Structure formats: C-alpha cells, structure tokens
Amino acid sequence: CKFFSFNILPEYDIFSEQFVINSIIEIRKSFLKIYNIIMVLHYFNKKENKDKIIARRIYKDIIVNVKFILNKNNLLIKKNFNSSFELIVIFLFIVLISYKTKKENLQINQILFEIFINDLDKSLREEGIGDMSIGKYVKSYVKKAYFRFKKLEIIIKDNNFNEFNKFIKKINIQDIKKDNFILSDYLFSYIKKLLKKAKKEEISKFKFNKNMN
C-alpha cells in the first residue's frame, strides 16, 4: 500500500504547535464574539425590563388618577366604562405627547400604549364583549384614542379653552345636561400643569400629582 507523499503546512497539521496555537486563538475569538453578543442581549433585555417597569408604573399611576377624578363629586362625572376610557385617553395623551421627541422614550411610550390596549381588551370582556367581537371593539376604541390624541394636540398647542370645552361636551362624560364648564376648566388647567411638569422631568420620574388641582 502506497501513501501519498506531500508536506503538510504547519497551520494545517493537527499535530503541529502552530496548529494548536491558531486553534486556541480562533477559539478565543469565538468566545469573545459570543460574550459580546450575550452582553449586548443582556443590555437590551435589561433596558427592555426597565422600560416595562416604567411603563407599568405610569399606567398604574394613570388609573389611580382617573379613579381620583371620577370620585370628585363636584365634577359630576358619570361612573361608567366610557368615562374611564375618555379620562385614561386624556392622561395617556399627556405622557405620549410630552415624551415623543426623545428616542430613548419611544420604547416606553410603545409599551405604555400596548398596556392600554391589553387593559382595553380585558375591560371590554368584562363589559360582556365575546371572543368573536372583541377584536373589532378594541380596534374601534384604539381608533377613537388616536383621533382624540390628534384633537387634543391641536387644542393644547393653540391653548384653546373653548375648543376643549366643546371636546369635553362631545365625549359625554358628565352626569348632567347643563354646561360642563367646571369639568372643562378643571381638566384644562390640570393638563397644562402636567405638561409643564413633564418638561422638567424625565419620563422615569414623571408622576401625576393629584394635588395640582
């Protein structure tokens, strides 16, 4: 039996010292790449978890604030699903509009809106909406929310109380048919104070202060 006879280069000879050295270097490079990938994933996971914590805290704060306002008897707000929805949308607007320009806040805003949609889904189910219709209802309420965001942005930008008063009257959250000036005045003043407050605070520190009005 005759073997092929040729010289194997050191870097390809598995028994050579050069091959071992090269292999160790390549293994180290591979481990370094894996380590870097793990650290990047860890950073994004850590940031994502932090963003979720902030978004959940803000949404919980919104709900507490809405309940507080619903229970202010002098405002004569109807205690029903529609009133809760409309007030949540108003306070969501404050956060989303205040922190939409900074890139680092976009993820928090996105998570916050997703929490709102999930809560909307749950609340509508509790109102008796079944599986076959829930998607249509959620989509309809999300469209309402976007429409109100756009309307409120124009009103606040123009500092137009008369238009805000019309807006409050149209969303029909008061328990009386008389003029809704008191409620409009309360909310308009509160919104402006919160927007001013948001300009001075990072989103991670922002809280709805019930004592502002």
Side-chain angles (χ1 to χ4, degrees):
C1 183
K2 193 173 183 180
F3 294 95
F4 290 105
S5 178
F6 57 88
N7 293 323
I8 301 175
L9 294 172
E11 59 267 30
Y12 298 114
D13 183 358
I14 62 173
F15 298 108
S16 73
E17 185 179 348
Q18 184 63 45
F19 181 86
V20 173
I21 292 170
N22 289 347
S23 298
I24 292 171
I25 291 170
E26 289 303 316
I27 290 169
R28 283 178 178 174
K29 285 181 182 178
S30 298
F31 273 118
L32 186 60
K33 286 179 183 178
I34 293 168
Y35 175 77
N36 288 335
I37 291 169
I38 290 171
M39 291 306 294
V40 168
L41 290 173
H42 176 71
Y43 168 78
F44 282 111
N45 285 334
K46 189 176 179 181
K47 186 180 185 307
E48 185 180 359
N49 290 335
K50 185 181 177 182
D51 290 347
K52 283 180 180 178
I53 290 168
I54 294 169
R56 285 170 186 159
R57 196 265 305 158
I58 291 172
Y59 193 76
K60 185 179 178 181
D61 203 20
I62 288 173
I63 298 302
V64 169
N65 201 44
V66 166
K67 287 180 179 178
F68 173 79
I69 292 172
L70 283 170
N71 289 321
K72 285 180 75 71
N73 294 327
N74 63 311
L75 297 177
L76 300 170
I77 301 173
K78 297 174 185 177
K79 293 177 175 61
N80 58 24
F81 174 83
N82 180 63
S83 297
S84 297
F85 167 78
E86 297 293 355
L87 289 172
I88 289 170
V89 167
I90 288 171
F91 294 118
L92 260 180
F93 161 77
I94 291 168
V95 179
L96 298 178
I97 197 70
S98 297
Y99 297 103
K100 72 175 185 177
T101 54
K102 290 187 178 181
K103 189 177 179 181
E104 60 267 28
N105 296 330
L106 295 180
Q107 180 70 9
I108 295 172
N109 279 353
Q110 180 63 37
I111 296 169
L112 181 61
F113 199 73
E114 287 172 4
I115 293 170
F116 165 66
I117 293 172
N118 290 335
D119 190 34
L120 193 57
D121 183 288
K122 182 183 175 184
S123 299
L124 285 168
R125 289 178 188 276
E126 289 173 355
E127 289 289 307
I129 307 299
D131 291 339
M132 297 293 289
S133 304
I134 193 68
K136 181 177 69 175
Y137 273 85
V138 170
K139 188 176 180 180
S140 173
Y141 275 96
V142 169
K143 281 185 177 180
K144 278 185 182 182
Y146 277 119
F147 176 79
R148 281 149 178 68
F149 291 157
K150 290 178 182 177
K151 186 75 175 174
L152 286 167
E153 187 170 8
I154 294 168
I155 290 169
I156 297 302
K157 185 179 179 181
D158 295 339
N159 195 27
N160 194 328
F161 175 77
N162 289 331
E163 284 299 314
F164 185 76
N165 193 39
K166 290 177 186 177
F167 173 82
I168 294 299
K169 191 173 183 178
K170 192 171 183 179
I171 61 177
N172 190 30
I173 62 175
Q174 270 201 303
D175 211 12
I176 54 171
K177 293 182 180 179
K178 296 179 182 179
D179 185 57
N180 52 291
F181 180 85
I182 294 174
L183 176 60
S184 297
D185 184 56
Y186 174 87
L187 287 174
F188 194 67
S189 174
Y190 190 25
I191 289 167
K192 289 200 295 181
K193 286 175 183 177
L194 286 169
L195 288 170
K196 188 176 179 180
K197 182 173 181 281
K199 287 181 180 179
K200 301 175 184 177
E201 296 178 351
E202 294 294 326
I203 193 170
S204 59
K205 296 178 181 178
F206 180 78
K207 288 185 178 181
F208 292 88
N209 189 343
K210 296 188 284 292
N211 298 320
M212 291 181 76
N213 248 0

